[in-house]
Amino acid sequence: MAGELILRKADFFPRAGQAVVVADRYPQNVFAEHTHEFCELVMVWRGNGLHVLNDRPYRITRGDLFYIRAEDCHSYASVNDLVLQNIIYCPDRLTLNLDWAAHIPGLNGAPSNPHWRIGSSGMAQARQVITQLEHESAKDDPLANLMAETLFAQLVMTLKRHRFATDNLAATHSEALLDKLITALSGSLNRSFVLERFCEQEQCSERALRQQFRTQTGMTINHYLRQLRICHAQFLLQHSEQMISEIAMQCGFEDSNYFSVVFSREVGMTPGQWRHRSRVAA
């Protein structure tokens, strides 16, 4: 890509040879498409935004986790009070005798599934480790690098223990109600979702849950689900040959005309126009 933005190691690592640092994004603003000279773990704490990773759009919010390789191209758009942390690391600088690729998806040719979710209990544990890691990586003493790398190994293991597929509702059985709701929404891309039924099943207040969701994500439940479906539709439009009516059905819209209206309102162009533009750009 001509004029591609590349984030350089020298701009993010205070000391030569440093293996890992923490970059806070309080908040994360709109950020242009870029690659890196390093890898990163992205942990989303609150708010929402559009994260485009290797041309695939993801509507992100609290609990989303991404494993980003150096060569991956990504950007942030349509952000709303989006708060996240980037744990930045250089694989070639890691010195601990650990099979990192076995625990970090996509590292050194390992199978790559970049997008996961972390529930509330996992987030709480990860936050503690990240706080320690941030303090240690800012120090300048003989043991600072090794201490930071040890904490990074602990973080990697913590995330591996607690992460689950974005639509795996069974994995959230012991998690907080909000985690269960977000996962249930992710698993409802191609079918209707009835909040009243969910609340009956979880024996909770629909009104309180709606308020909690909006406070943590900055979106209504209906808006979030609609955005998930639009992102999935964008991916299918670009990477499949299915008819627009078929894609509408797969994304929970029984009426393709209504799908086109919603898509145009959210994206600013019709599904057909977006498919054409995305393929020309590719």
Side-chain angles (χ1 to χ4, degrees):
M1 180 188 305
E4 181 181 83
L5 175 62
I6 303 175
L7 304 189
R8 305 292 182 182
K9 294 177 182 178
D11 296 325
F12 289 86
F13 291 87
R15 301 186 302 276
Q18 197 170 7
V20 57
V21 296
V22 178
D24 294 325
R25 297 292 184 263
Y26 296 147
Q28 171 66 61
N29 296 316
V30 170
F31 202 98
E33 192 173 68
H34 61 280
T35 58
H36 325 79
E37 290 183 340
F38 46 80
C39 301
E40 62 184 10
L41 308 181
V42 178
M43 185 75 240
V44 183
W45 297 112
R46 62 172 293 129
N48 70 84
L50 183 66
H51 182 207
V52 182
L53 173 60
N54 296 329
D55 293 326
R56 178 164 188 168
Y58 298 88
R59 175 55 65 174
I60 58 173
T61 190
R62 174 189 184 278
D64 280 308
L65 166 68
F66 288 88
Y67 294 84
I68 310 294
R69 303 167 300 183
E71 65 270 23
D72 289 331
C73 188
H74 70 141
S75 63
Y76 295 95
S78 303
V79 297
N80 177 26
D81 191 29
L82 180 62
V83 174
L84 56 81
Q85 283 180 305
N86 292 335
I87 297 83
I88 299 171
Y89 66 100
C90 295
D92 58 303
R93 294 179 179 178
L94 296 171
T95 60
L96 288 180
N97 185 21
L98 178 68
D99 185 2
W100 296 98
H103 308 292
I104 301 178
L107 185 64
N108 299 331
S112 177
N113 178 10
H115 184 208
W116 300 78
R117 284 198 54 77
I118 297 291
S120 296
S121 59
M123 289 176 68
Q125 293 182 40
R127 190 189 289 272
Q128 290 182 346
V129 180
I130 292 172
T131 298
Q132 292 179 279
L133 173 56
E134 187 170 20
H135 289 163
E136 201 62 51
S137 62
K139 294 180 180 179
D140 189 12
D141 65 59
L143 290 177
N145 284 354
L146 184 57
M147 286 292 291
E149 189 176 337
T150 302
L151 288 165
F152 180 60
Q154 183 180 348
L155 175 63
V156 165
M157 298 300 180
T158 299
L159 295 178
K160 184 176 181 180
R161 169 176 283 177
H162 292 280
R163 73 191 182 207
F164 53 87
T166 56
D167 59 352
N168 184 6
L169 188 58
T172 66
H173 67 279
S174 63
E175 294 293 350
L177 186 61
L178 194 60
D179 302 316
K180 294 182 180 181
L181 174 59
I182 293 175
T183 303
L185 293 169
S186 297
S188 302
L189 296 182
N190 62 347
R191 60 182 184 272
S192 63
F193 175 82
V194 181
L195 181 60
E196 182 180 2
R197 188 180 305 155
F198 177 88
C199 291
E200 287 177 356
Q201 179 179 326
E202 298 297 331
Q203 298 183 328
C204 66
S205 164
E206 180 177 335
R207 181 179 179 182
L209 185 57
R210 286 185 184 275
Q211 181 60 44
Q212 183 186 13
F213 188 92
R214 186 155 198 165
T215 299
Q216 290 293 324
T217 69
M219 310 174 78
T220 66
I221 293 171
N222 288 339
H223 187 200
Y224 177 70
L225 180 56
R226 186 164 63 248
Q227 288 292 310
L228 288 180
R229 288 172 170 167
I230 292 298
C231 285
H232 187 48
Q234 288 175 300
F235 176 75
L236 293 176
L237 286 166
Q238 183 173 0
H239 298 285
S240 80
E241 299 300 329
Q242 296 178 76
M243 297 176 61
I244 290 175
S245 59
E246 294 174 325
I247 291 175
M249 291 289 290
Q250 286 196 37
C251 297
F253 295 89
E254 295 183 5
D255 185 333
S256 60
N257 291 325
Y258 178 64
F259 165 67
S260 295
V261 169
V262 173
F263 189 97
S264 299
R265 184 176 66 229
E266 298 288 343
V267 180
M269 62 186 75
T270 67
Q273 290 170 334
W274 195 90
R275 168 176 268 175
H276 176 73
R277 194 190 74 161
S278 64
R279 292 186 175 183
V280 169

